[in-house]
Amino acid sequence: MTDVNLVWLKRDLRLSDHQALWHACQQGKPVVVFHLFEPEYWQLPDTSYRQWRFILQSLGSLRQAFSKNGGHLSFYQGDIIATLRKIAQHCRISGLYSHEETGNHWTYQRDTRVSHWCQQHAIPWYQYQQFAVKRGPINRDNWDSFWHRVMDVAPCPMPALRSTRLGPGASEHANASYPGNDQLAAKTAQFGGIQTGERLLESFLAERHTNYLRDVSSPSRGQQYSSRLSPYLAYGCLSLRQVVLKTRQSLLKEETKRTLQAFKSRLHWHCHFIQKLETSPEYERTAIHPDLRGIRTDNFDGDRFKAWAEGQTGIPFVDACMRYLRHTGWLPFRLRAMLTAFSSYHLWLPWQHPAQYLASLFTDYEPGIHYPQIQMQSGTTGMNPFRIYNPIKQGQRLDPDGHFIRRWLPELAHLGNSFIHQPWLCAHVSPDCYPAPIVEVSSAARLARQKLAVHYRQHVSANHTQKVIKTHASRRREGSRRAPPTQHSNQLDLF
Ligand SMILES: Cc1cc2nc3c(=O)[nH]c(=O)nc-3n(C[C@H](O)[C@H](O)[C@H](O)COP(=O)(O)OP(=O)(O)OC[C@H]3O[C@@H](n4cnc5c(N)ncnc54)[C@H](O)[C@@H]3O)c2cc1C
């Protein structure tokens, strides 16, 4: 039996700045690089066909890159342990190489099984950081400098791929069929792959960033002027380090300073959020503040959830955002926050179910960003202010002439500007054509505030809040002009 090193590609679908691949290829032994389609993963409620398709496209482009450079990429389907066993019947596995994944509960359990299997078989599993995210205990006070240290390391060069070979029983083509159940194919989702990601980065740094600050939250212009790099970072088609490096180079030009500085902060938040889930995996399932676990547990109103999920709440801006997201797989940050807040506050739905549903709609689903953001926007961290967006005012501000609403709610296309944000005021809109609002926005927000105030008075202990702040809150960064947090304001940081 020959000795081989295995490289398991997970959310790192690229060739350059790929530490696992680089290190495996330096060992002087044949290398099997594989991706595994795991049917069980694709049945989870937070996964979806649109993510699967993006990955498939990315693997297609990666496979081409391998063959162009004289290498092989292998594909397996099934359970990871069964796959490792199959490989081990034909070759001696010297080492398993991969990146450190901060995934959902399922991938965490899967990785735990892999770790046990490797230990049982005395196979070392080398895992490499691909983001500035630390395993194990962290010191929040110097996390910021840790991020800079990680980003300052020179990117790994692309290794010679000639040592790679096809794995035993593997397929050379990513031809697995989708094992999930959802039918929500995003009609105009982003196309996966290294080249598409690189082109987007180039166009963003060269031109598109100019309107970033102005248009990043715009429902109609955000898709052009936001970087749109999120799925390429989520599935590792681009290395975050390389994106940071190129952004730093572009920042040397005076005219790009303000916008690119704002963009660079987001690249920092990226890791900052993933660190939260890495350190506290309970973000996925349980309110981070122990005293806030009891809110919203009294009801899960299935009809309300359905109306929200299908873009049929009767609040045009909410519905237009949801239908746009279902169609495209993407939404600007502000509007993701608004949809979440609307379901958590106005509809008073427990956050877990909407969180999974939104995750499945996002092509760029990144558990480490997603769950902490959901909790932050749902008011369950106890350390962020309650942001109860008024969706009518948001619509009037971000879509003043109603173009976006008319585009995504064609049944309202005939309405003029005076009614487009509040069609219930117009006598000519029949509920057969567009539903009456399922809640009255102002009173639903007032009720949510009252419920929260009562809950806080009766159940939230200041001691517990202090503990949560100590464990989970970000520290003020050097040079930040924001005021330091006070318990009274409940305002800590953007995070
Ligand atoms: C409820 C909710 C859920 C979210 N879920 C996800 C998710 O699953 N995956 C995901 O990538 N982003 C998520 N975000 C963050 C943000 O909305 C997206 O990263 C952003 O809209 C992607 O578009 P972009 O690449 O053009 O972003 P840009 O503004 O161009 O930012 C560049 C990159 O920085 C990172 N980034 C940007 N904003 C944030 C942020 N607020 N927090 C952390 N990182 C950020 C992303 O990697 C992004 O690609 C979520 C936000 C909210 C409010």
Side-chain angles (χ1 to χ4, degrees):
M1 275 212 236
T2 29
D3 281 4
V4 294
N5 276 312
L6 295 184
V7 180
W8 177 17
L9 297 183
K10 298 160 112 191
R11 284 176 164 255
D12 49 353
L13 308 180
R14 63 177 182 280
L15 282 178
S16 61
D17 195 30
H18 195 303
Q19 291 198 51
L21 185 61
W22 165 260
H23 285 285
C25 288
Q26 300 318 299
Q27 308 305 315
K29 290 183 181 158
V31 176
V32 169
V33 187
F34 72 99
H35 178 78
L36 176 68
F37 295 106
E38 299 165 288
E40 211 181 298
Y41 173 80
W42 292 104
Q43 317 250 330
L44 301 173
D46 49 346
T47 65
S48 59
Y49 178 70
R50 56 190 60 187
Q51 297 157 8
W52 161 274
R53 196 168 68 166
F54 187 92
I55 290 173
L56 219 55
Q57 290 159 349
S58 303
L59 287 167
S61 112
L62 192 57
R63 193 182 147 268
Q64 277 178 4
F66 265 83
S67 11
K68 209 167 118 199
N69 290 284
H72 290 281
L73 177 55
S74 303
F75 297 98
Y76 290 98
Q77 185 163 5
D79 173 66
I80 180 67
I81 303 296
T83 306
L84 291 172
R85 278 201 195 111
K86 184 153 70 181
I87 298 174
Q89 281 168 4
H90 296 86
C91 15
R92 218 175 0 254
I93 303 172
S94 298
L96 176 65
Y97 292 73
S98 76
H99 74 89
E100 280 183 351
E101 181 174 359
T102 306
N104 62 11
H105 184 65
W106 187 91
T107 62
Y108 172 75
Q109 286 190 316
R110 181 223 29 216
D111 285 355
T112 310
R113 286 194 297 124
V114 173
S115 172
H116 287 150
W117 188 86
C118 286
Q119 273 167 23
Q120 270 171 9
H121 294 81
I123 296 170
W125 183 8
Y126 305 103
Q127 296 183 71
Y128 298 88
Q129 273 175 353
Q130 78 165 340
F131 302 133
V133 175
K134 258 190 204 170
R135 287 238 161 124
I138 58 159
N139 180 347
R140 290 190 175 274
D141 293 329
N142 61 21
W143 190 89
D144 194 44
S145 51
F146 162 69
W147 186 89
H148 284 282
R149 274 201 312 281
V150 173
M151 294 305 146
D152 287 347
V153 172
C156 245
M158 191 178 100
L161 298 175
R162 277 178 296 280
S163 66
T164 61
R165 52 183 259 185
L166 199 63
S171 159
E172 238 180 312
H173 298 277
N175 53 7
S177 54
Y178 180 60
N181 304 316
D182 74 288
Q183 300 299 320
L184 265 178
K187 300 206 172 67
T188 57
Q190 290 180 266
F191 196 90
I194 303 170
Q195 294 88 343
T196 329
E198 283 174 349
R199 276 201 298 272
L200 266 182
L201 176 61
E202 256 167 49
S203 69
F204 180 73
L205 293 179
E207 311 156 23
R208 288 189 300 117
H209 70 272
T210 44
N211 292 341
Y212 182 68
L213 283 176
R214 197 192 68 188
D215 289 333
V216 71
S217 301
S218 161
S220 38
R221 292 184 303 274
Q223 73 174 42
Q224 186 178 354
Y225 294 112
S226 200
S227 77
R228 307 300 308 280
L229 293 178
S230 50
Y232 304 91
L233 293 172
Y235 302 107
C237 307
L238 295 178
S239 130
L240 183 73
R241 191 183 280 115
Q242 285 177 327
V243 174
V244 170
L245 198 71
K246 288 196 173 154
T247 308
R248 281 177 178 164
Q249 284 159 1
S250 298
L251 263 166
L252 298 175
K253 297 175 216 146
E254 193 52 41
E255 67 277 11
T256 60
K257 274 226 152 51
R258 256 186 83 232
T259 45
L260 287 189
Q261 204 61 52
F263 170 68
K264 203 171 124 244
S265 308
R266 265 78 169 177
L267 301 177
H268 188 280
W269 299 357
H270 167 277
C271 301
H272 177 93
F273 273 90
I274 298 179
Q275 183 69 66
K276 282 178 187 281
L277 187 70
E278 177 61 45
T279 311
S280 312
E282 63 270 29
Y283 262 109
E284 183 180 341
R285 296 169 159 211
T286 320
I288 225 57
H289 194 303
D291 301 338
L292 293 171
R293 285 179 195 152
I295 55 169
R296 306 188 187 106
T297 47
D298 48 340
N299 70 325
F300 178 78
D301 186 328
D303 290 341
R304 281 188 171 192
F305 174 75
K306 189 164 182 287
W308 173 81
E310 291 179 355
Q312 296 285 352
T313 65
I315 316 292
F317 195 53
V318 170
D319 293 341
C321 287
M322 184 58 91
R323 293 194 206 174
Y324 171 82
L325 171 60
R326 283 162 62 103
H327 194 89
T328 63
W330 183 82
L331 202 59
F333 167 80
R334 168 61 64 90
L335 306 178
R336 296 185 195 209
M338 185 194 75
L339 281 186
T340 308
F342 187 76
S343 92
S344 291
Y345 295 115
H346 296 87
L347 304 184
W348 204 246
L349 293 169
W351 56 271
Q352 287 89 342
H353 202 34
Q356 289 181 330
Y357 178 70
L358 283 179
S360 75
L361 293 185
F362 295 151
T363 310
D364 61 21
Y365 173 41
E366 173 65 79
I369 300 179
H370 188 68
Y371 290 106
Q373 275 291 354
I374 290 275
Q375 289 222 27
M376 192 171 132
Q377 306 302 338
S378 300
T380 49
T381 65
M383 48 185 181
N384 305 104
F386 301 124
R387 296 200 180 103
I388 308 185
Y389 299 93
N390 179 324
I392 302 168
K393 287 192 183 149
Q394 289 291 315
Q396 286 164 339
R397 228 185 79 210
L398 296 168
D399 183 30
D401 46 19
H403 281 333
F404 178 73
I405 293 181
R406 287 190 197 91
R407 162 80 178 84
W408 294 100
L409 307 184
E411 63 271 42
L412 298 184
H414 61 286
L415 290 186
N417 284 0
S418 35
F419 292 120
I420 194 70
H421 294 282
Q422 301 179 80
W424 52 89
L425 299 177
C426 171
H428 305 300
V429 178
S430 130
D432 295 339
C433 137
Y434 184 67
I438 57 171
V439 288
E440 199 280 306
V441 166
S442 307
S443 49
R446 204 174 317 115
L447 188 62
R449 271 191 208 97
Q450 281 165 2
K451 284 184 182 172
L452 287 167
V454 171
H455 186 91
Y456 259 75
R457 256 199 318 276
Q458 295 178 347
H459 302 289
V460 178
S461 113
N463 272 348
H464 289 169
T465 303
Q466 273 312 322
K467 265 194 200 150
V468 174
I469 289 175
K470 198 150 176 260
T471 320
H472 298 284
S474 57
R475 303 292 186 261
R476 236 178 121 216
R477 268 180 283 149
E478 222 180 292
S480 161
R481 271 176 283 149
R482 246 177 264 130
T486 62
Q487 205 192 332
H488 173 68
S489 71
N490 232 356
Q491 165 87 49
L492 274 169
D493 200 338
L494 257 177
F495 305 126

mmCIF file of all heavy atoms in Angstrom, residues 246-266:
data_model
loop_
_atom_site.group_PDB
_atom_site.id
_atom_site.type_symbol
_atom_site.label_atom_id
_atom_site.label_comp_id
_atom_site.label_asym_id
_atom_site.label_seq_id
_atom_site.Cartn_x
_atom_site.Cartn_y
_atom_site.Cartn_z
ATOM 1 N N LYS A 246 -5.123 43.163 -1.079
ATOM 2 C CA LYS A 246 -5.432 43.987 -2.258
ATOM 3 C C LYS A 246 -6.135 45.272 -1.844
ATOM 4 O O LYS A 246 -5.927 46.323 -2.450
ATOM 5 C CB LYS A 246 -6.296 43.194 -3.237
ATOM 6 C CG LYS A 246 -5.482 42.106 -3.917
ATOM 7 C CD LYS A 246 -6.144 41.552 -5.132
ATOM 8 C CE LYS A 246 -5.154 40.609 -5.820
ATOM 9 N NZ LYS A 246 -5.744 39.588 -6.603
ATOM 10 N N THR A 247 -6.969 45.168 -0.819
ATOM 11 C CA THR A 247 -7.658 46.381 -0.346
ATOM 12 C C THR A 247 -6.634 47.356 0.225
ATOM 13 O O THR A 247 -6.695 48.571 -0.027
ATOM 14 C CB THR A 247 -8.703 46.010 0.735
ATOM 15 O OG1 THR A 247 -9.534 44.985 0.220
ATOM 16 C CG2 THR A 247 -9.548 47.194 1.127
ATOM 17 N N ARG A 248 -5.662 46.823 0.969
ATOM 18 C CA ARG A 248 -4.621 47.702 1.534
ATOM 19 C C ARG A 248 -3.858 48.395 0.414
ATOM 20 O O ARG A 248 -3.531 49.580 0.505
ATOM 21 C CB ARG A 248 -3.644 46.886 2.378
ATOM 22 C CG ARG A 248 -4.188 46.552 3.757
ATOM 23 C CD ARG A 248 -3.200 45.678 4.493
ATOM 24 N NE ARG A 248 -3.633 45.362 5.839
ATOM 25 C CZ ARG A 248 -3.115 44.384 6.573
ATOM 26 N NH1 ARG A 248 -2.150 43.616 6.084
ATOM 27 N NH2 ARG A 248 -3.539 44.154 7.792
ATOM 28 N N GLN A 249 -3.562 47.643 -0.666
ATOM 29 C CA GLN A 249 -2.821 48.257 -1.786
ATOM 30 C C GLN A 249 -3.652 49.379 -2.406
ATOM 31 O O GLN A 249 -3.158 50.461 -2.699
ATOM 32 C CB GLN A 249 -2.486 47.213 -2.850
ATOM 33 C CG GLN A 249 -1.325 46.317 -2.424
ATOM 34 C CD GLN A 249 -1.283 44.992 -3.171
ATOM 35 O OE1 GLN A 249 -2.120 44.727 -4.035
ATOM 36 N NE2 GLN A 249 -0.316 44.151 -2.841
ATOM 37 N N SER A 250 -4.949 49.117 -2.574
ATOM 38 C CA SER A 250 -5.805 50.150 -3.178
ATOM 39 C C SER A 250 -5.959 51.337 -2.251
ATOM 40 O O SER A 250 -6.176 52.468 -2.694
ATOM 41 C CB SER A 250 -7.191 49.592 -3.484
ATOM 42 O OG SER A 250 -7.091 48.555 -4.406
ATOM 43 N N LEU A 251 -5.845 51.075 -0.951
ATOM 44 C CA LEU A 251 -6.004 52.164 0.018
ATOM 45 C C LEU A 251 -4.873 53.180 -0.053
ATOM 46 O O LEU A 251 -4.962 54.273 0.501
ATOM 47 C CB LEU A 251 -6.063 51.573 1.424
ATOM 48 C CG LEU A 251 -7.460 51.357 1.989
ATOM 49 C CD1 LEU A 251 -7.415 50.475 3.210
ATOM 50 C CD2 LEU A 251 -8.112 52.678 2.332
ATOM 51 N N LEU A 252 -3.786 52.797 -0.726
ATOM 52 C CA LEU A 252 -2.671 53.739 -0.827
ATOM 53 C C LEU A 252 -3.050 54.941 -1.684
ATOM 54 O O LEU A 252 -2.442 55.999 -1.611
ATOM 55 C CB LEU A 252 -1.435 53.033 -1.417
ATOM 56 C CG LEU A 252 -0.895 51.879 -0.563
ATOM 57 C CD1 LEU A 252 0.235 51.155 -1.262
ATOM 58 C CD2 LEU A 252 -0.440 52.401 0.800
ATOM 59 N N LYS A 253 -4.102 54.766 -2.497
ATOM 60 C CA LYS A 253 -4.539 55.907 -3.321
ATOM 61 C C LYS A 253 -5.473 56.780 -2.489
ATOM 62 O O LYS A 253 -6.435 56.276 -1.904
ATOM 63 C CB LYS A 253 -5.284 55.411 -4.556
ATOM 64 C CG LYS A 253 -4.420 54.575 -5.473
ATOM 65 C CD LYS A 253 -5.276 54.021 -6.598
ATOM 66 C CE LYS A 253 -4.804 52.628 -6.958
ATOM 67 N NZ LYS A 253 -5.858 51.741 -7.375
ATOM 68 N N GLU A 254 -5.179 58.041 -2.472
ATOM 69 C CA GLU A 254 -5.883 58.972 -1.601
ATOM 70 C C GLU A 254 -7.403 58.956 -1.817
ATOM 71 O O GLU A 254 -8.197 58.906 -0.881
ATOM 72 C CB GLU A 254 -5.333 60.388 -1.850
ATOM 73 C CG GLU A 254 -5.740 61.428 -0.814
ATOM 74 C CD GLU A 254 -5.454 60.993 0.633
ATOM 75 O OE1 GLU A 254 -4.379 60.403 0.914
ATOM 76 O OE2 GLU A 254 -6.335 61.225 1.463
ATOM 77 N N GLU A 255 -7.815 58.931 -3.099
ATOM 78 C CA GLU A 255 -9.243 59.126 -3.392
ATOM 79 C C GLU A 255 -10.129 57.967 -2.913
ATOM 80 O O GLU A 255 -11.344 58.100 -2.833
ATOM 81 C CB GLU A 255 -9.464 59.410 -4.891
ATOM 82 C CG GLU A 255 -9.158 58.259 -5.842
ATOM 83 C CD GLU A 255 -7.669 58.139 -6.198
ATOM 84 O OE1 GLU A 255 -6.844 58.813 -5.560
ATOM 85 O OE2 GLU A 255 -7.358 57.362 -7.120
ATOM 86 N N THR A 256 -9.514 56.830 -2.591
ATOM 87 C CA THR A 256 -10.336 55.672 -2.209
ATOM 88 C C THR A 256 -10.450 55.530 -0.691
ATOM 89 O O THR A 256 -11.121 54.642 -0.208
ATOM 90 C CB THR A 256 -9.702 54.373 -2.735
ATOM 91 O OG1 THR A 256 -8.414 54.246 -2.158
ATOM 92 C CG2 THR A 256 -9.602 54.322 -4.235
ATOM 93 N N LYS A 257 -9.784 56.405 0.042
ATOM 94 C CA LYS A 257 -9.580 56.180 1.478
ATOM 95 C C LYS A 257 -10.853 55.885 2.277
ATOM 96 O O LYS A 257 -10.953 54.883 2.952
ATOM 97 C CB LYS A 257 -8.854 57.379 2.099
ATOM 98 C CG LYS A 257 -7.356 57.258 1.972
ATOM 99 C CD LYS A 257 -6.659 57.586 3.277
ATOM 100 C CE LYS A 257 -5.341 56.880 3.427
ATOM 101 N NZ LYS A 257 -4.412 57.009 2.314
ATOM 102 N N ARG A 258 -11.836 56.801 2.171
ATOM 103 C CA ARG A 258 -12.999 56.665 3.063
ATOM 104 C C ARG A 258 -13.792 55.400 2.774
ATOM 105 O O ARG A 258 -14.115 54.636 3.663
ATOM 106 C CB ARG A 258 -13.907 57.891 2.923
ATOM 107 C CG ARG A 258 -13.765 58.829 4.109
ATOM 108 C CD ARG A 258 -14.740 59.945 4.063
ATOM 109 N NE ARG A 258 -16.051 59.591 4.585
ATOM 110 C CZ ARG A 258 -17.186 59.777 3.932
ATOM 111 N NH1 ARG A 258 -17.190 60.286 2.720
ATOM 112 N NH2 ARG A 258 -18.336 59.462 4.485
ATOM 113 N N THR A 259 -14.082 55.182 1.499
ATOM 114 C CA THR A 259 -14.923 54.036 1.173
ATOM 115 C C THR A 259 -14.204 52.720 1.467
ATOM 116 O O THR A 259 -14.774 51.827 2.068
ATOM 117 C CB THR A 259 -15.327 54.017 -0.311
ATOM 118 O OG1 THR A 259 -14.187 54.308 -1.076
ATOM 119 C CG2 THR A 259 -16.446 54.959 -0.605
ATOM 120 N N LEU A 260 -12.956 52.636 1.054
ATOM 121 C CA LEU A 260 -12.276 51.356 1.240
ATOM 122 C C LEU A 260 -11.959 51.084 2.711
ATOM 123 O O LEU A 260 -11.861 49.941 3.131
ATOM 124 C CB LEU A 260 -11.032 51.272 0.373
ATOM 125 C CG LEU A 260 -11.336 51.079 -1.112
ATOM 126 C CD1 LEU A 260 -10.070 50.790 -1.907
ATOM 127 C CD2 LEU A 260 -12.341 49.949 -1.345
ATOM 128 N N GLN A 261 -11.810 52.147 3.475
ATOM 129 C CA GLN A 261 -11.622 51.951 4.915
ATOM 130 C C GLN A 261 -12.881 51.313 5.506
ATOM 131 O O GLN A 261 -12.805 50.393 6.317
ATOM 132 C CB GLN A 261 -11.360 53.314 5.571
ATOM 133 C CG GLN A 261 -10.601 53.237 6.875
ATOM 134 C CD GLN A 261 -9.205 52.627 6.727
ATOM 135 O OE1 GLN A 261 -8.453 53.080 5.875
ATOM 136 N NE2 GLN A 261 -8.876 51.613 7.521
ATOM 137 N N ALA A 262 -14.040 51.785 5.041
ATOM 138 C CA ALA A 262 -15.317 51.217 5.533
ATOM 139 C C ALA A 262 -15.420 49.756 5.108
ATOM 140 O O ALA A 262 -15.844 48.893 5.884
ATOM 141 C CB ALA A 262 -16.491 52.016 4.978
ATOM 142 N N PHE A 263 -15.031 49.474 3.899
ATOM 143 C CA PHE A 263 -15.077 48.090 3.403
ATOM 144 C C PHE A 263 -14.140 47.208 4.225
ATOM 145 O O PHE A 263 -14.493 46.101 4.635
ATOM 146 C CB PHE A 263 -14.690 48.100 1.919
ATOM 147 C CG PHE A 263 -14.472 46.734 1.334
ATOM 148 C CD1 PHE A 263 -15.531 45.855 1.171
ATOM 149 C CD2 PHE A 263 -13.205 46.320 0.941
ATOM 150 C CE1 PHE A 263 -15.336 44.591 0.632
ATOM 151 C CE2 PHE A 263 -12.995 45.064 0.403
ATOM 152 C CZ PHE A 263 -14.060 44.199 0.255
ATOM 153 N N LYS A 264 -12.941 47.755 4.496
ATOM 154 C CA LYS A 264 -11.960 46.967 5.253
ATOM 155 C C LYS A 264 -12.492 46.641 6.659
ATOM 156 O O LYS A 264 -12.249 45.563 7.183
ATOM 157 C CB LYS A 264 -10.635 47.733 5.337
ATOM 158 C CG LYS A 264 -9.467 46.797 5.576
ATOM 159 C CD LYS A 264 -8.151 47.517 5.449
ATOM 160 C CE LYS A 264 -7.352 47.356 6.706
ATOM 161 N NZ LYS A 264 -7.039 48.494 7.492
ATOM 162 N N SER A 265 -13.237 47.580 7.228
ATOM 163 C CA SER A 265 -13.821 47.286 8.554
ATOM 164 C C SER A 265 -14.736 46.078 8.478
ATOM 165 O O SER A 265 -14.791 45.271 9.401
ATOM 166 C CB SER A 265 -14.687 48.431 9.076
ATOM 167 O OG SER A 265 -13.996 49.596 9.018
ATOM 168 N N ARG A 266 -15.467 45.956 7.374
ATOM 169 C CA ARG A 266 -16.370 44.798 7.242
ATOM 170 C C ARG A 266 -15.576 43.496 7.201
ATOM 171 O O ARG A 266 -16.020 42.476 7.698
ATOM 172 C CB ARG A 266 -17.199 44.889 5.960
ATOM 173 C CG ARG A 266 -18.569 45.499 6.129
ATOM 174 C CD ARG A 266 -18.485 46.962 6.213
ATOM 175 N NE ARG A 266 -19.772 47.646 6.134
ATOM 176 C CZ ARG A 266 -19.890 48.948 6.247
ATOM 177 N NH1 ARG A 266 -18.828 49.703 6.464
ATOM 178 N NH2 ARG A 266 -21.073 49.518 6.153
#
